Amino acid sequence: MRVLKTTLMIGAGLILLALGLLSIVPAVLEKQMNTVIPHAPYTVSEEALKLHGSLIIADLHSDSTLWKRNLLERGDRGHVDIPRMREGNATLQMFTSVTRSPRGQNYEQNSSDALDNITLLAIAQGWPISTWNSLTARALYQAEKLKSLEITAPQEFQMVYSASDLKRLLERRTNSEQVVGGILGTEGSHALDGKLENIDTLFNAGFRMMSLQHFFDNKLGGSLHGESGKGLTPFGEQAVDRMLELGVILDVSHSSPAVVLDVINRTDKPLLVSHTGFQGHCNSPRNISDELMIAIAADGGLIGVGYWDAAVCDASPKTIVAAIEYGIDLVGEDHVALGSDFDGSVAAPFDISELAALTDEMLQAGFTERQIRKVMGLNIIRFMAKNLPQ
């Protein structure tokens, strides 16, 4: 009996230790992965503060639902949560669900067979067992995390699934409600688990944007950072056709140049590059060619400029604005937007509460008020109003 009691006590102790580690490890990991580069408080002019407070601000890419944080609370780590969105005067955020990430991830070449980092993260964060082996389940779980914010605090957060939802969000903010909005997207269509019917599953769950690839080739085609460099596969062609039929917005971030060309040639609907830089500004393996960017813009597409070094070559407000200026010169002021990649395992020069630093930097760079309003949000609002389900 004494041996049994001792064994049970040891077992209980191990369980408590494991639970303790599960509560600590995710926070420690995120603090290492989603950092804000140390900086003195940014100096923002009165003119910039006044203009910033009048802007409608939107962003095309944040991976915040991947992490174990309550987004209704102001966090001490990461880049995005609802309180910090309000502090930064953000209106609308695209939240993208990350479902797989290859071990040894890099911008040059990754194998589709590499071990997956997200499986371990899902287990460590206490995700449902269904998510351990299913990428679709991971996307659906992250969607439910986001949708629960609206249920818990509808006065603070609103999901946007349609153009009418977007209109309602803007009307609420015009009426001085302190509400922010979120749209669901995927970070790569390996989230389909290789099944076309899962496009409908994700769409019915609220996903309105789907990117095709992430850091590795998948069943749909080649990644910008994969091994094949190939275009759309027959399955990828079927998947793209079904997404377009449903009205899903396509994001070609991380797609190989061949995939980008195949998609451009397959549809006349406008595409997104949700988080990127411009190769002519920053010659990085993360960025596709300027020629492809021009082609995307020519079809009404929108390009979201990121905030991290691989996209803009130097993560600072000045360099981000230089990339935006390059993009405006290349494709026009109607086709450039914000695509931070906040909470995407990047070191950013600020979190979302400090967005006024960009407005100030744009004014210093000689941007017109019209250009600032478009880039900071109106281009995304216009794009979503036209391309979300009506």
Side-chain angles (χ1 to χ4, degrees):
M1 182 64 70
R2 183 177 298 175
V3 172
L4 177 60
K5 186 176 180 180
T6 301
T7 302
L8 290 174
M9 289 178 64
I10 293 172
L14 290 174
I15 291 171
L16 289 172
L17 177 61
L19 290 174
L21 288 174
L22 286 177
S23 67
I24 295 171
V25 169
V28 172
L29 181 63
E30 189 186 3
K31 283 185 177 181
Q32 296 174 344
M33 301 295 289
N34 296 321
T35 60
V36 175
I37 299 168
H39 61 272
Y42 292 112
T43 300
V44 180
S45 69
E46 288 296 324
E47 180 187 7
L49 282 174
K50 183 178 179 180
L51 174 58
H52 189 81
S54 71
L55 299 177
I56 295 174
I57 300 173
D59 183 275
L60 288 171
H61 199 96
S62 173
D63 297 333
S64 309
T65 58
L66 177 63
W67 307 98
K68 191 175 183 178
R69 271 192 286 129
N70 181 355
L71 296 181
L72 290 174
E73 298 177 358
R74 196 186 198 287
D76 62 355
R77 62 183 187 271
H79 304 128
V80 174
D81 51 49
I82 308 310
R84 283 185 282 181
M85 285 183 69
R86 290 202 299 268
E87 290 173 29
N89 193 35
T91 297
L92 182 66
Q93 180 67 57
M94 177 77 75
F95 289 95
T96 43
S97 297
V98 179
T99 56
R100 186 178 172 194
S101 170
R103 190 71 55 84
Q105 178 176 296
N106 63 85
Y107 290 109
E108 284 76 25
Q109 189 177 84
N110 300 276
S111 169
S112 302
D113 298 324
L115 293 175
D116 172 42
N117 294 317
I118 307 303
T119 301
L120 295 176
L121 185 63
I123 294 170
Q125 294 189 142
W127 288 15
I129 293 176
S130 62
T131 66
W132 297 3
N133 296 308
S134 168
L135 305 188
T136 303
R138 293 176 190 178
L140 293 172
Y141 176 67
Q142 291 179 67
E144 288 305 315
K145 286 172 64 177
L146 193 68
K147 289 188 281 187
S148 71
L149 304 181
E150 183 177 48
I151 296 170
T152 303
Q155 73 282 4
E156 297 180 38
F157 184 76
Q158 179 194 316
M159 292 296 303
V160 172
Y161 304 111
S162 66
S164 59
D165 288 336
L166 178 60
K167 181 180 179 182
R168 182 165 67 92
L169 173 69
L170 297 175
E171 288 173 347
R172 292 177 68 185
R173 289 182 63 87
T174 299
N175 292 329
S176 300
E177 290 190 50
Q178 297 296 306
V179 61
V180 298
I183 305 178
L184 281 166
T186 68
E187 179 84 276
S189 287
H190 42 277
L192 303 177
D193 276 339
K195 300 176 182 178
L196 287 174
E197 58 265 32
N198 280 335
I199 298 172
D200 290 69
T201 299
L202 293 177
F203 182 82
N204 292 335
F207 285 86
R208 294 297 178 260
M209 184 275 283
M210 296 184 190
S211 75
L212 302 181
Q213 280 79 32
H214 196 205
F215 272 90
F216 52 91
D217 301 338
N218 61 20
K219 192 173 179 180
L220 286 79
S223 163
L224 183 60
H225 328 285
E227 297 178 317
S228 72
K230 292 182 178 179
L232 287 173
T233 64
F235 177 85
E237 292 174 347
Q238 291 179 287
V240 165
D241 290 348
R242 181 56 182 160
M243 290 173 187
L244 293 169
E245 184 180 356
L246 286 172
V248 173
I249 297 167
L250 298 184
D251 177 16
V252 293
S253 299
H254 294 291
S255 294
S256 70
V259 165
V260 177
L261 279 172
D262 284 348
V263 176
I264 289 173
N265 291 330
R266 200 165 189 85
T267 180
D268 57 1
K269 291 187 177 181
L271 306 177
L272 290 180
V273 189
S274 69
H275 57 308
T276 187
F278 292 93
Q279 195 175 83
H281 170 259
C282 174
N283 188 13
S284 160
R286 177 60 183 82
N287 300 329
I288 59 175
S289 70
D290 285 3
E291 289 73 22
L292 284 175
M293 294 296 202
I294 291 170
I296 289 167
D299 287 336
L302 196 56
I303 298 156
V305 175
Y307 301 169
W308 76 106
D309 56 0
V312 296
C313 285
D314 172 39
S316 69
K318 182 179 288 293
T319 307
I320 294 166
V321 169
I324 291 170
E325 186 171 24
Y326 181 91
I328 289 174
D329 291 342
L330 182 72
V331 300
E333 64 187 39
D334 292 331
H335 303 285
V336 182
L338 304 181
S340 62
D341 202 18
F342 274 150
D343 291 328
S345 300
V346 298
F350 46 76
D351 67 19
I352 201 166
S353 71
E354 301 174 281
L355 284 174
L358 280 186
T359 302
D360 185 81
E361 195 64 52
M362 288 184 194
L363 280 175
Q364 291 187 52
F367 282 51
T368 66
E369 180 177 326
R370 182 188 66 193
Q371 289 173 324
I372 293 172
R373 291 188 181 278
K374 285 182 176 182
V375 170
M376 291 295 282
L378 289 185
N379 283 342
I380 293 176
I381 298 300
R382 171 184 49 79
F383 186 96
M384 294 301 167
K386 181 177 180 181
N387 294 290
L388 283 170
Q390 299 299 311

